[in-house]
Amino acid sequence: MTDTADQLYGRLKAYEGRASATAGVGKDLVNEPMIRHWCEAMGDGNPAYGGPGAIAPPTMLQAWTMGGLSGHTDRSGAYDELFGLLDGAGYTSVVATDCEQEYLRPLRPGDRITFDAVIEAVSERKTTKLGTGYFITTRMDVRAAGEPAGTHRFRILKYAPAGGKGGQRGVGVGRGLRQGGRSLRPRPVINRDNAGFWQGVAEHRLLIQRCRECETLRFPWLPGCNACGCQEWDTVEASGEGTVFSHVVMHHPPFPAFSASDEAGPYAVALIELAEGVRMVSNVVGVPCDKVRTGMSVKLEFLRTDHELELPVFRGSEG
Amino acid sequence: MKVGEELAPLEIAVTRTLIVAGAVASRDYQDVHHDAGLAQQKGSPDIFMNILTTNGLVGRYVTDHFGPSAVLRKVAIRLGAPNYPGDTMVLSGTITALDDAGTAEVTVVGANGLGRHVTGTVTVSVPEGSA
């Protein structure tokens, strides 16, 4: 389900690629008693898991990394923050949905387990039988005695139980991110494909990608060239001159964060054709929204919308 | 061993004891796997089996079939209908791919009274002559 009003999604998505555990260490060495207790519970009589030369059941991979009753001490701030965001928005329940493990080397009693994990993906908001929420996928690389021993990809659904309260907080009209009583714009989703663009914005430079092979300019940022497929690129800085190629005025639903004041008034969304030839979606400022016209000359400026977000926008001039 | 071959089904009685023992053996102390009252507060009718136990049972099902010299390479599972106490899960499997090196891909389904608890794919290397 795609929902343009799902402002939370943008904030969650920003956690993709961030570490969820760094240099984690298994609380116990791989050991015979835990193997035996596991086999007892599973009813697994495989002789490979006992006696001299025993290995641990490969499916125990995750068990060696568990925090147990005393909890995890190696989780990163990012993972806790992500969960905090979801809890705060009412998505308080967790259920595991997928586990994909690959085993590279058997684990033997005495092996010390170490691991690193990364938040691999956050889904858009999904409605399931259990309730509405977000799927979070983490990938853990597990080592034994310093050698790669396996990978463990794990997906959970963090959700607001169906029929329960919550789950819609932080979502919807006039109820997005707020700070000091003011509505905030959704956070951009910054990933390795567009990080350079946002770095440019931070330096007040509007950067356009240019293919190294055929020199075709492209915007928005993409990993490869649409013209020739080449993945090598550099950038050119936009002069900041442009014209309104097309525009709409957004009346409903109202999003106070996009308006000049915190009143939920209409605002102009324009497709700006830059002097360099590429087009980008932005806002036109300095002109009442009903005075924006196709062909209007506009000039780039950077708008600080709140303490942590700056955006390229275009100032129009009437007449 | 050939593609299309079916593994004999394995019936697992989903007892409260199995759910709790599996959760503890896998070091998973989430309350929904051992405390019925708290599970109910979270909207579940009862405690339910954790994914690590399901994973362990799927691994066991495949190695039971191919014998102790079989080596698990990959286990990938997706959960559906929960395993609640009192239910029975029947695991079934089919060999869906086989390479010259004796590595087989087995699709596994675990069905309970509510539907499919687990669907998955297991990749297992089977030394010649052992299955």
Side-chain angles (χ1 to χ4, degrees):
Chain A
M1 183 177 69
T2 302
D3 184 345
T4 51
D6 187 357
Q7 303 187 349
L8 180 60
Y9 174 61
R11 297 183 72 192
L12 301 175
K13 188 93 178 154
Y15 286 87
E16 286 186 352
R18 294 186 61 185
S20 59
T22 305
V25 180
K27 291 195 171 182
D28 299 285
L29 301 180
V30 174
N31 66 84
E32 287 170 26
M34 283 175 64
I35 293 172
R36 201 179 61 71
H37 298 165
W38 169 280
C39 290
E40 224 174 63
M42 303 301 158
D44 197 332
N46 190 337
Y49 305 148
I55 62 166
T59 52
M60 278 188 85
L61 187 67
Q62 186 188 2
W64 303 113
T65 70
M66 295 289 278
L69 257 186
S70 52
H72 285 280
T73 50
D74 34 41
R75 285 229 169 116
S76 75
Y79 197 77
D80 289 340
E81 274 171 44
L82 178 62
F83 265 58
L85 274 178
L86 285 159
D87 285 331
Y91 303 97
T92 51
S93 296
V94 180
V95 65
T97 61
D98 295 78
C99 173
E100 299 168 16
Q101 297 182 333
E102 190 166 357
Y103 313 112
L104 305 173
R105 155 202 193 286
L107 302 184
R108 294 198 163 79
D111 282 338
R112 178 169 296 286
I113 299 299
T114 51
F115 53 93
D116 290 284
V118 64
I119 300 164
E120 202 172 56
V122 181
S123 77
E124 293 182 351
R125 194 166 76 229
K126 304 277 184 185
T127 298
T128 73
K129 236 186 235 178
L130 288 170
T132 296
Y134 298 83
F135 288 94
I136 299 170
T137 308
T138 52
R139 191 195 71 235
M140 183 182 281
D141 292 306
V142 181
R143 291 177 303 278
E147 298 170 19
T151 58
H152 167 65
R153 184 176 280 114
F154 201 65
R155 190 168 299 121
I156 60 157
L157 174 66
K158 186 97 172 98
Y159 68 101
K165 289 176 182 162
Q168 294 301 312
R169 281 199 290 139
V171 173
V173 178
R175 301 189 63 191
L177 301 174
R178 295 191 72 81
Q179 184 199 28
R182 202 181 139 65
S183 299
L184 302 184
R185 293 203 188 200
R187 307 294 95 173
V189 178
I190 300 175
N191 55 40
R192 64 181 179 185
D193 291 331
N194 67 9
F197 170 77
W198 290 104
Q199 182 61 41
V201 170
E203 297 162 4
H204 285 194
R205 300 165 71 212
L206 180 58
L207 298 179
I208 302 166
Q209 273 179 311
R210 176 173 58 191
C211 177
R212 286 220 178 178
E213 184 67 35
C214 69
E215 301 197 336
T216 302
L217 300 180
R218 63 177 186 264
F219 197 94
W221 282 42
L222 293 167
C225 177
N226 278 335
C228 74
C230 172
Q231 296 189 8
E232 300 295 315
W233 51 268
D234 56 14
T235 59
V236 293
E237 183 176 351
S239 67
E241 303 296 331
T243 52
V244 175
F245 184 82
S246 179
H247 66 96
V248 292
V249 176
M250 183 72 178
H251 291 272
H252 190 82
F255 290 107
F258 287 88
S259 306
S261 68
D262 204 23
E263 300 298 312
Y267 57 94
V269 179
L271 184 61
I272 306 296
E273 185 162 273
L274 300 178
E276 290 76 15
V278 296
R279 296 173 192 153
M280 71 178 284
V281 175
S282 183
N283 291 127
V284 176
V285 299
V287 180
C289 62
D290 58 352
K291 300 292 188 208
V292 174
R293 293 290 178 267
T294 297
M296 177 181 271
S297 292
V298 292
K299 192 162 176 49
L300 172 70
E301 63 181 46
F302 289 86
L303 173 69
R304 180 164 284 285
T305 66
D306 57 69
H307 73 288
E308 60 178 20
L309 184 63
E310 260 190 306
L311 296 171
V313 297
F314 291 84
R315 181 163 293 275
S317 50
E318 286 182 78
Chain B
M1 186 165 72
K2 60 180 192 294
V3 172
E5 182 183 323
E6 291 184 4
L7 282 61
L10 173 67
E11 230 175 70
I12 304 278
V14 183
T15 62
R16 202 167 286 276
T17 304
L18 171 59
I19 293 170
V20 173
V24 172
S26 58
R27 310 259 308 139
D28 183 349
Y29 291 90
Q30 295 286 327
D31 50 33
V32 292
H33 305 308
H34 64 260
D35 187 323
L38 291 176
Q40 281 156 13
Q41 277 179 29
K42 292 187 173 166
S44 174
D46 204 333
I47 62 167
F48 55 92
M49 185 179 284
N50 72 339
I51 193 167
L52 292 90
T53 301
T54 303
N55 205 42
L57 292 172
V58 167
R60 171 199 154 189
Y61 176 56
V62 171
T63 51
D64 274 1
H65 177 83
F66 291 104
S69 58
V71 179
L72 293 176
R73 303 292 182 194
K74 285 183 199 172
V75 176
I77 60 168
R78 168 162 294 180
L79 296 191
N83 266 344
Y84 295 120
D87 208 338
T88 299
M89 174 170 72
V90 180
L91 288 162
S92 58
T94 308
I95 298 174
T96 47
L98 194 58
D99 71 13
D100 295 337
T103 299
E105 194 181 274
V106 183
T107 61
V108 175
V109 175
N112 63 21
L114 300 172
R116 284 182 170 193
H117 167 68
V118 59
T119 52
T121 307
V122 177
T123 307
V124 58
S125 294
V126 184
E128 221 174 316
S130 66

